[in-house]
Amino acid sequence: MKKTAIYPGTFDPITYGHIDVIKKSLKIVDNLIVGVSEVGQKNYLFSINERIEIVEKALYSDLKFKRNKIQIIKFQSLTTSLCNKYKSNIILRGLRAVSDFEYEFQLAGMNRKLNNKIETIFLMSDVDNQIISSRFVKEIAQLGGNLKKFTTKSTMKALKKKYENSF
């Protein structure tokens, strides 16, 4: 039986930290659904459709991931509902630092209460990428810094375009 995992997030924008989690997940699951969330109290820099396009370009064009292994979708539901829809009992979450753990631990517990058949697996980014966050990447882009160590070429291009158009 093929294992499918859900990797939910806002991906505003996708970073090498996210990509590390994706690479590692493909070693333990057969199929990965990258769920780009359009709910929450966040002020997104990119619209949901822009974020989907950025993730697609980063994974399929820049990094040449196989489309038959990774599906990118948008969602507005509980992650557990997404698991039910795609017949997955695995939620993947990335951890960068100890500060992420408390929130992620609570989230995993709530998801477990919602559906006790679903397991949350935590994956760590490589050490070089553990400090990267979408928030910092956006700030560096806004201030004209070099993003080469933080995200893919197409994502850098999208950030540059977004910030050029906001002034």
Side-chain angles (χ1 to χ4, degrees):
M1 187 167 110
K2 289 193 172 209
K3 288 185 201 159
T4 298
I6 306 292
Y7 181 32
T10 57
F11 305 100
D12 187 39
I14 191 166
T15 69
Y16 283 140
H18 297 122
I19 291 164
D20 268 354
V21 171
I22 290 168
K23 284 179 183 176
K24 289 175 181 183
S25 73
L26 293 174
K27 294 177 183 177
I28 57 175
V29 299
D30 301 299
N31 299 303
L32 179 66
I33 302 200
V34 177
V36 182
S37 175
E38 59 180 322
V39 292
Q41 292 84 17
K42 291 191 174 189
N43 286 329
Y44 299 115
L45 176 63
F46 295 102
S47 72
I48 184 64
N49 292 330
E50 288 172 323
R51 286 183 281 138
I52 293 280
E53 183 179 343
I54 289 167
V55 172
E56 286 175 346
K57 284 182 179 178
L59 298 181
Y60 302 141
S61 298
D62 294 342
L63 301 170
K64 309 293 188 227
F65 280 100
K66 294 179 181 168
R67 290 179 185 264
N68 65 339
K69 299 280 281 173
I70 302 172
Q71 183 179 357
I72 302 161
I73 55 110
K74 61 182 166 183
F75 74 105
Q76 300 182 356
S77 64
L78 292 169
T79 305
T80 53
S81 298
L82 199 62
C83 288
N84 292 336
K85 180 178 179 178
Y86 288 94
K87 296 176 177 47
S88 172
N89 65 346
I90 302 168
I91 297 171
L92 295 174
R93 298 295 295 175
L95 288 177
R96 291 177 302 213
V98 175
S99 58
D100 287 344
F101 183 75
E102 186 173 346
Y103 170 78
E104 293 295 343
F105 181 78
Q106 289 175 340
L107 185 61
M110 292 302 289
N111 285 331
R112 185 89 172 148
K113 285 278 191 193
L114 290 167
N115 185 334
N116 65 5
K117 292 179 174 75
I118 296 172
E119 295 293 336
T120 299
I121 297 175
F122 298 106
L123 295 172
M124 304 242 348
S125 297
D126 286 340
V127 173
D128 290 348
N129 295 319
Q130 286 179 3
I131 49 90
I132 301 172
S133 73
S134 294
R135 182 175 48 117
F136 288 145
V137 168
K138 287 184 281 197
E139 189 172 329
I140 292 165
Q142 186 177 24
L143 298 172
N146 186 341
L147 296 170
K148 193 174 186 175
K149 295 179 183 177
F150 307 112
T151 193
T152 66
K153 285 183 181 182
S154 65
T155 306
M156 286 187 277
K157 189 175 179 180
L159 281 159
K160 184 176 180 184
K161 183 179 177 186
K162 181 63 84 168
Y163 283 114
E164 282 176 355
N165 292 335
S166 67
F167 294 112

